[in-house]
Amino acid sequence: CPEICLLSQSRGGGEGPAASVYSFADLREVVMAHRWMGLMMIAGSVFAQEPVVLRPALLFREEWKQPPYTGKLNDQNRRVTQDAVTNANLELKLYGADARDIGVYVHEGRQDLWNGITTSPVAVTLRDKANYFDLTGLARLRWITRTYALHVVHPVVRLADGTLLAGSHTDSTEGEYLESEVAFGNQHWFKLDPEKVSTSVEVKNPDLSKVDEIGYVDLMPGGGHGFAGWVNVSVVELYAKAVPRR
């Protein structure tokens, strides 16, 4: 019969009543099952060889606080200083002719830095007293920002050799406080003048394995209070490896 195949290997070892009888469909299913099992074994072997890569742990978190003051809490008394930093391991660095007028304000129950009354572009960075930052691989910067009237937030890094760079990543939130993440390896980096806070040439393949400072820049002056141009930067978290300063 063309649809029936007698297998010679039966329990008795010969052709007879004890022989096993399979249809071609049964045999095809057996062959396909064996092929599938073989593919799964190969795939499992490949995946087993791939190392598990995890994101670095949280290196620091900064939430800001109102610096001490006397008298009325006005724009002048809100000026950001080292006393606005809550993390004792971090140092505050300011760049720009009018960076001293960056203020500490409260929105949505959080403290944030606001540059609305600055008359120049400004940059703010944080420096760990004991460690450089390794921003390679899966390192991430996570922050809560708000921008308005065409202002955007760029990340800033200061390399171990003192070079200040602004990244091509931008956050624009149209007046809303939003949380976002910044990756570092997928950006273009441009030299940032620490006094003018203006960009110039692109720096190809900067060494991000040993970063001295990290922060943000707004490349436009503030527009004042109300519905004007400005940026707010609230909670900042860095997920990266620490490289001890020696």
Side-chain angles (χ1 to χ4, degrees):
C1 175
E3 295 181 354
I4 300 296
C5 176
L6 295 179
L7 299 182
S8 60
Q9 293 184 352
S10 66
R11 293 181 180 178
E15 296 182 3
S20 299
V21 180
Y22 293 91
S23 70
F24 286 131
D26 292 334
L27 290 175
R28 188 163 52 246
E29 289 183 3
V30 171
V31 172
M32 291 301 293
H34 279 281
R35 287 180 179 177
W36 178 250
M37 290 175 63
L39 290 173
M40 291 298 292
M41 292 176 65
I42 294 173
S45 176
V46 171
F47 286 121
Q49 295 175 6
E50 293 184 356
V52 177
V53 181
L54 300 177
R55 283 192 179 187
L58 176 66
L59 185 55
F60 75 73
R61 175 183 172 92
E62 181 51 52
E63 298 176 310
W64 315 110
K65 63 181 179 180
Q66 173 60 50
Y69 68 94
T70 58
K72 184 179 179 180
L73 185 57
N74 52 26
D75 287 335
Q76 287 69 38
N77 284 332
R78 291 183 181 277
R79 286 174 175 166
V80 66
T81 66
Q82 180 63 40
D83 289 330
V85 179
T86 61
N87 189 322
N89 297 323
L90 300 177
E91 297 176 343
L92 177 73
K93 304 293 182 181
L94 301 177
Y95 299 92
D98 200 30
R100 70 179 191 134
D101 277 332
I102 298 171
V104 181
Y105 292 80
V106 178
H107 298 94
E108 297 185 352
R110 298 181 304 269
Q111 304 276 355
D112 61 61
L113 304 188
W114 179 74
N115 71 333
I117 63 173
T118 61
T119 59
S120 72
V122 294
V124 177
T125 64
L126 293 168
R127 178 182 185 272
D128 190 292
K129 298 175 183 178
N131 301 294
Y132 292 102
F133 310 128
D134 181 354
L135 303 184
T136 61
L138 296 179
R140 296 290 187 270
L141 180 69
R142 182 182 298 168
W143 53 18
I144 299 175
T145 62
R146 180 178 70 163
T147 69
Y148 198 74
L150 299 181
H151 284 241
V152 297
V153 180
H154 294 268
V156 165
V157 296
R158 185 175 187 269
L159 304 181
D161 65 3
T163 304
L164 203 62
L165 301 177
S168 58
H169 174 99
T170 60
D171 280 314
S172 175
T173 73
E174 298 295 336
E176 299 291 338
Y177 279 95
L178 298 177
E179 184 179 275
S180 59
E181 285 193 351
V182 179
F184 300 97
N186 62 342
Q187 299 191 56
H188 297 279
W189 295 93
F190 298 86
K191 197 167 184 180
L192 185 68
D193 187 299
E195 296 183 3
K196 297 178 182 179
V197 189
S198 60
T199 56
S200 56
V201 297
E202 182 177 357
V203 177
K204 300 285 189 178
N205 302 314
D207 183 6
L208 299 179
S209 66
K210 200 174 182 181
V211 171
D212 189 36
E213 302 171 16
I214 188 168
Y216 71 93
V217 62
D218 181 359
L219 294 170
M220 295 194 293
H225 285 284
F227 294 100
W230 32 251
V231 304
N232 300 74
V233 176
S234 184
V235 179
V236 178
E237 295 179 340
L238 180 63
Y239 296 81
K241 296 178 182 177
V243 180
R245 299 180 184 274
R246 300 187 187 279

